[in-house]
Amino acid sequence: MSIAGDQDGRSDTVAQFYEQGDAYRQDRWHFPKVDKATMTTLANLVSLDISVEAVEDQITTALAAQENAIDLSSAPELLRSAQFINEQATQLKKIQLRNNQLPIV
């Protein structure tokens, strides 16, 4: 989700990433064509001048109003936990396996 900012620049970056990675020359996975007309920001959709911080505050407030627990202070502890480290290692192996299957250009 893009909250605000240079959407044309973001579109160009995504399009270049796909093109340089030969995303459209392979047939194993499907990558969507980047269409600038379909990519917008939340700020444009609601016609407001908003910031990432404001959206974070609104999401946090909405979750709290629904009595969902929000703990933003324990992130460093979570990142050091055995469960997180094991999951990170598992996901890294999956990424490496996928990358090994990509054609070398």
Side-chain angles (χ1 to χ4, degrees), residues 12 20 25 32 37-38 41 57-58 75-76 84:
D12 289 339
Q20 290 179 5
R25 289 184 190 66
T38 64
T41 64
D57 289 344
Q58 290 176 354
F84 181 85

Side-chain angles (χ1 to χ4, degrees), residues 81-95:
S81 72
Q83 180 182 2
F84 181 85
I85 291 168
N86 290 337
E87 184 63 25
Q88 185 180 37
T90 299
Q91 295 304 321
L92 179 58
K93 286 178 188 174
K94 289 179 182 179
I95 291 168

